[in-house]
Amino acid sequence: MRPKELTSRIFLDGGDPQETREIMDLLGFLDGQTTNPTLISKNPEARRRLERGERFSEDEILGFYRAVVEEISGMLPGGSISVEVYADPQTAAEQMLPQGKMMNGWIPNAHIKFPSSDQGFRAAEKAVKEGLRVNMTLCFRQEQAAAAYAATRGAKKGDVFVSPFVGRLDDWGENGMSLIENIIRMYREGDGHVEVLTASVRHLDHLLYAIKLGSDIITVPAGILREWGEKGLPMPGRDYTYNAGSLAPIPYRDPDLAKNWQDFDLSHELTTKGMEKFSADWKSLIR
Ligand code: E4P
């Protein structure tokens, strides 16, 4: 059962509905799920099909993704399911937006994931005006979170998530959790319409510290939720401290949330690399 002091919503980070069922049974609650092209490429049914040498056509893979999110949505009708558009570094906003609208039609509780890139923000700005809920993914710097705020000004709380990727920042030597601290601190100056979704969680301490910081949402792979569940859903106590080891802290910056999103420096090597990897994993499924 949900610990009563837990204020964050807990999502499963995965692309397999069977795992969703298992985690719901283990924890006794689940608030939503995030998917992405890499996670869909790891879905066991997709793997089996590829092992038989049968790749998908473009229509078939979209049909497969749709069936997966429909099944998950049926299990989590009151939650949110993030569905990601195809976006490589050359994909224009005009190509992302129609995909987002189509995916939004698959289920009633979708958040559409757009990359935290120039074209991704252009697409998201239009998408929220057309009534879509969005999740700005591949966020690696505070300015991208500021742009997520500015591009979606006027949207209501709950309709916009920003997903800072802590594990991938750790991987390249920066303390990803300090980006979560910085974004939460920055958003205190704002109107609260963007929710912070801690993503790329790699171990139980990422989860515990994100809870302690008050991240609105934390998306967590099944393996870590299993560990958390098996340990009895421990919560970070008053004296809990996060040990970032030798990872370099990311200093707080003070972007002005009143600016236009185009005025922020949005570039980050990991955002570009992330789009390259997601698009390559998606293409690996297609014949
Ligand atoms: C979720 O929305 C993200 O796509 C996911 O957490 C990324 O995790 P990874 O960095 O382990 O691929």
Side-chain angles (χ1 to χ4, degrees):
M1 287 311 262
R2 173 191 292 279
K4 60 178 185 326
E5 328 82 274
L6 177 64
T7 53
S8 302
R9 275 129 64 212
I10 304 297
F11 286 13
L12 172 64
D13 199 17
D16 174 12
Q18 283 190 24
E19 212 177 54
T20 311
R21 171 62 59 207
E22 178 214 323
I23 293 298
M24 288 174 75
D25 290 346
L26 176 72
L27 302 185
F29 75 97
L30 189 63
D31 300 309
Q33 179 147 349
T34 49
T35 68
N36 67 37
T38 302
L39 293 168
I40 293 300
S41 75
K42 289 182 179 161
N43 171 289
E45 206 180 310
R47 296 306 328 154
R48 281 193 290 274
R49 196 175 152 141
L50 260 60
E51 275 154 24
R52 291 197 302 269
E54 298 167 26
R55 290 187 178 199
F56 296 82
S57 69
E58 300 232 0
D59 282 350
E60 282 168 349
I61 192 59
L62 283 171
F64 181 79
Y65 196 2
R66 177 181 184 149
V68 167
V69 298
E70 278 177 348
E71 196 175 341
I72 296 168
S73 171
M75 288 183 240
L76 296 167
S80 149
I81 319 298
S82 284
V83 189
E84 185 156 343
V85 301
Y86 172 91
D88 61 42
Q90 282 73 46
T91 307
E94 289 70 21
Q95 295 165 290
M96 294 184 203
L97 188 58
Q99 292 183 64
K101 286 188 198 169
M102 174 192 66
M103 290 167 163
N104 190 55
W106 290 351
I107 52 172
N109 51 347
H111 275 77
I112 302 301
K113 291 171 95 176
F114 295 107
S116 295
S117 62
D118 175 67
Q119 296 302 310
F121 285 114
R122 274 187 58 216
E125 182 179 38
K126 292 202 173 83
V128 291
K129 288 201 174 101
E130 297 193 29
L132 269 66
R133 290 177 290 263
V134 302
N135 176 352
M136 299 313 302
T137 191
L138 292 166
C139 170
F140 294 98
R141 60 189 297 175
Q142 212 185 314
E143 288 83 347
Q144 290 171 317
Y149 180 96
T152 61
R153 213 175 267 119
K156 70 174 195 303
K157 185 174 164 76
D159 285 358
V160 183
F161 304 156
V162 66
S163 293
F165 274 37
V166 297
R168 294 193 197 186
L169 281 167
D170 286 6
D171 291 345
W172 90 334
E174 289 184 347
N175 175 11
M177 289 309 296
S178 57
L179 180 62
I180 304 295
E181 292 167 14
N182 294 346
I183 295 172
I184 290 176
R185 177 174 158 195
M186 172 177 72
Y187 281 172
R188 279 199 203 108
E189 308 297 317
D191 61 13
H193 81 271
V194 183
E195 294 188 300
V196 178
L197 188 162
T198 300
S200 187
V201 163
R202 297 283 164 75
H203 48 69
L204 195 56
D205 273 318
H206 279 155
L207 168 62
L208 295 180
Y209 190 40
I211 292 173
K212 172 123 183 170
L213 289 172
S215 179
D216 299 286
I217 303 162
I218 307 157
T219 192
V220 188
I224 300 167
L225 288 178
R226 269 182 216 120
E227 184 187 348
W228 192 45
E230 280 155 12
K231 289 185 169 154
L233 310 181
M235 291 287 288
R238 242 174 216 280
D239 47 4
Y240 175 86
T241 52
Y242 178 73
N243 181 0
S246 57
L247 296 171
I250 301 174
Y252 184 77
R253 323 206 6 149
D254 209 1
D256 178 3
L257 289 176
K259 288 203 301 198
N260 293 325
W261 68 262
Q262 292 89 342
D263 297 332
F264 296 109
D265 181 0
L266 304 173
S267 59
H268 199 290
E269 194 184 323
L270 291 180
T271 304
T272 310
K273 284 205 163 113
M275 284 194 274
E276 283 165 356
K277 174 81 170 99
F278 282 152
S279 52
D281 285 344
W282 184 251
K283 282 186 182 156
S284 74
L285 295 165
I286 300 170
R287 57 177 176 260

